[in-house]
Amino acid sequence: MYRAPSRRKNKKEVKKPNLIPILDAVFIFIFFLLMSASFLNIHEIQSDVPIISNQEPPKNKKPPLALTLKIRASNIQILTGVPGSVRKSIGKNSDGDYDLVALRTYLIGLKKSNATEKDIVLEPLVDLQYEELVKIMDSVRILKNTDPDIWTTGKDGSDIRIKELFSNIVFGNIQS
């Protein structure tokens, strides 16, 4: 007598995988990614690129300050005017870092006599560490609460306290 194979008789039902735990894990993973992304702070330091033009600059009553910092390996030279003439040279302190306190003190004195000026040109002539460049930029941009007050007269004749030193930083030698 012929006997049918057992495979045909015992048909097993194919079980589908349970996707609910996998989907739960994926949604939890996405949730944690979104939550961790909100704690990431990115800071930006505003800086402009010099404008190159063939036109004559507008005529001003007062010549521009044209404040420039040439950052060298041994010192920082402060230049003013067009063409720039060296006003002061700030060396390094005993730790081998640039003397940013002396730089700030001199720039505060310049700001008192040129209260409306906001521009400063940085010309690093040497390779600098990023942190060192940011320290220099912070020392020329920000007026601290411990710094002496600088006042100017507004358009309506009222006194206005200046809150920043030279906040518009431009890099001068980007093509070298």
Side-chain angles (χ1 to χ4, degrees):
M1 162 169 193
Y2 177 73
R3 195 171 135 177
S6 63
R7 277 187 288 168
R8 292 184 187 161
K9 277 186 182 179
N10 299 334
K11 288 187 177 179
K12 291 185 179 178
E13 190 176 318
V14 177
K15 292 187 177 182
K16 295 180 182 177
N18 188 5
L19 295 179
I20 293 174
I22 295 172
L23 289 173
D24 285 345
V26 167
F27 283 120
I28 290 172
F29 181 67
I30 290 172
F31 173 74
F32 280 115
L33 280 178
L34 290 174
M35 287 300 295
S36 65
S38 67
F39 296 119
L40 184 68
N41 290 330
I42 298 174
H43 298 281
E44 175 186 356
I45 298 174
Q46 181 90 14
S47 175
D48 294 331
V49 177
I51 298 171
I52 300 172
S53 174
N54 293 334
Q55 295 179 349
E56 269 305 303
K59 300 288 182 188
N60 291 337
K61 298 173 191 168
K62 183 180 175 186
L65 180 62
L67 180 61
T68 304
L69 295 184
K70 287 194 177 189
I71 305 168
R72 301 179 182 276
S74 61
N75 62 7
I76 298 175
Q77 286 184 336
I78 302 171
L79 293 89
T80 58
V82 179
S85 60
V86 178
R87 298 275 299 258
K88 187 166 176 92
S89 182
I90 309 271
K92 292 190 172 186
N93 57 20
S94 59
D95 296 334
D97 297 328
Y98 293 109
D99 192 358
L100 299 179
V101 175
L103 176 66
R104 282 182 57 74
T105 305
Y106 188 76
L107 290 178
I108 288 171
L110 272 179
K111 185 68 173 186
K112 284 182 180 179
S113 59
N114 300 284
T116 59
E117 288 286 335
K118 293 183 179 183
D119 299 336
I120 186 167
V121 178
L122 293 184
E123 290 187 14
L125 303 175
V126 63
D127 288 337
L128 292 172
Q129 294 290 326
Y130 175 76
E131 292 82 13
E132 198 169 10
L133 184 61
V134 169
K135 286 179 186 177
I136 293 170
M137 291 173 71
D138 284 343
S139 66
V140 302
R141 279 186 318 120
I142 302 168
L143 268 176
K144 298 178 182 175
N145 292 337
T146 57
D147 291 332
D149 290 340
I150 302 172
W151 297 88
T152 186
T153 306
K155 293 178 182 176
D156 59 352
S158 63
D159 289 338
I160 300 171
R161 183 174 176 254
I162 295 178
K163 299 176 183 175
E164 297 176 326
L165 268 173
F166 299 98
S167 58
N168 189 19
I169 297 174
V170 179
F171 283 94
N173 61 347
I174 58 172
Q175 294 181 351
S176 61

